[in-house]
Amino acid sequence: MSILARYRKPGGFLQLLKLIETSQPAKQEKLLDVVEKEDPRWAELIREKKLTSEMILSWDHSTQATIFEYMVARHCATLFKRMEEGKLVEFRDIFKLEKYKELHDLVEHMNDPLESEYIAACNHLLETVRYLDEEKKIILRFINPILDLEEAA
């Protein structure tokens, strides 16, 4: 039986995309290899439409702030702790004062995050972005037209 058979239903492409996005890099490649063997077009679409934390963290500050507002503070702090020194200060005028103070305190007092903590924060970031797009709080196709899923699958 085809692995892709379970995803060839309405919403299946997005479900598979989310699974691959939140998998570890080695597992991502294995999954993409399986998809490639069964349907090279889907594999290409997944590679094209797959979000990464690096991609999201390169978006404009206003969009990032919207995303961070919906995330668990500890995960936000973990991401900021891994960024270059002073990155959080760039958001001072964008975040609500309470959110900024909370994140600033967390970042100041936390140890360097473990790799597993960073991976969990990145996965939460990806899940939050997909949720916000589904809820129309952010519109991915306006951020980057390539990320539009309307034509996918």
Side-chain angles (χ1 to χ4, degrees):
M1 183 173 136
S2 163
I3 297 289
L4 290 183
R6 73 171 66 175
Y7 297 104
R8 293 201 188 275
K9 61 181 187 206
F13 180 82
L14 178 59
Q15 185 181 14
L16 179 60
L17 181 61
K18 288 177 181 179
L19 172 68
I20 291 172
E21 284 174 341
T22 57
S23 296
Q24 297 298 309
K27 186 169 183 178
Q28 279 186 12
E29 282 309 309
K30 285 181 184 176
L31 288 168
L32 281 167
D33 286 346
V34 169
V35 172
E36 181 95 46
K37 288 176 184 153
E38 291 189 35
D39 190 332
R41 186 177 130 294
W42 266 39
E44 182 182 335
L45 273 173
I46 289 169
R47 285 187 178 96
E48 183 179 288
K49 310 234 178 250
K50 181 171 67 97
L51 295 173
T52 65
S53 55
E54 295 81 10
M55 175 192 301
I56 296 164
L57 296 174
S58 73
W59 293 345
D60 67 89
H61 285 35
S62 177
T63 302
Q64 289 181 45
T66 300
I67 296 163
F68 291 142
E69 286 292 329
Y70 284 87
M71 289 181 64
V72 174
R74 180 100 180 139
H75 285 156
C76 291
T78 298
L79 294 171
F80 278 110
K81 188 76 172 180
R82 277 285 191 98
M83 292 180 199
E84 68 237 20
E85 188 78 29
K87 188 73 170 174
L88 179 58
V89 175
E90 295 175 19
F91 288 83
R92 184 181 358 215
D93 296 332
I94 299 171
F95 283 140
K96 294 175 185 161
L97 184 59
E98 301 84 27
K99 181 76 168 184
Y100 177 77
K101 285 181 178 180
E102 178 185 23
L103 290 176
H104 185 269
D105 287 346
L106 281 169
V107 170
E108 286 292 310
H109 295 100
M110 78 183 334
N111 294 326
D112 287 338
L114 300 172
E115 189 63 23
S116 59
E117 293 171 318
Y118 181 69
I119 289 168
C122 288
N123 282 343
H124 184 57
L125 175 67
L126 296 167
E127 291 163 356
T128 301
V129 168
R130 288 290 178 201
Y131 166 77
L132 293 174
D133 185 52
E134 288 169 16
E135 295 295 315
K136 307 294 187 232
K137 305 270 188 218
I138 61 171
I139 311 292
L140 290 178
R141 71 175 176 266
F142 294 155
I143 296 168
N144 183 343
I146 291 171
L147 299 175
D148 186 11
L149 295 178
E150 293 295 320
E151 300 296 318

